[in-house]
Amino acid sequence: MADNRQPAGVWLHAVTRDADPCGLDGLTGIGGCAVRTVQAGGLVAVVSSVDLAQFGEEPCAATSKT
């Protein structure tokens, strides 16, 4: 079976010291994916998955040149 999924990246929306993951329920990030938190070292990152074909290095670089 072929794997047709596009490579996924992670978009960082915010970094904070405190975030209630339940307070993010229903929120979507870049590209419409659900927002989630990642906790480490006393900080909380608010992130979402993105399609690298649309939001990877090359597409973002091309957009910033226009």
Side-chain angles (χ1 to χ4, degrees):
M1 177 183 272
D3 184 357
N4 295 326
R5 291 179 294 172
Q6 295 294 320
V10 177
W11 190 276
L12 175 64
H13 297 281
V15 176
T16 183
R17 292 190 187 278
D18 187 27
D20 178 7
C22 293
L24 302 175
D25 286 347
L27 293 180
T28 58
I30 303 296
C33 288
V35 172
R36 64 187 186 279
T37 60
V38 178
Q39 299 180 10
L43 296 174
V44 180
V46 179
V47 301
S48 64
S49 297
V50 294
D51 178 355
L52 291 179
Q54 187 174 3
F55 297 103
E57 182 179 355
E58 290 181 20
C60 287
T63 301
S64 68
K65 292 178 182 176
T66 59

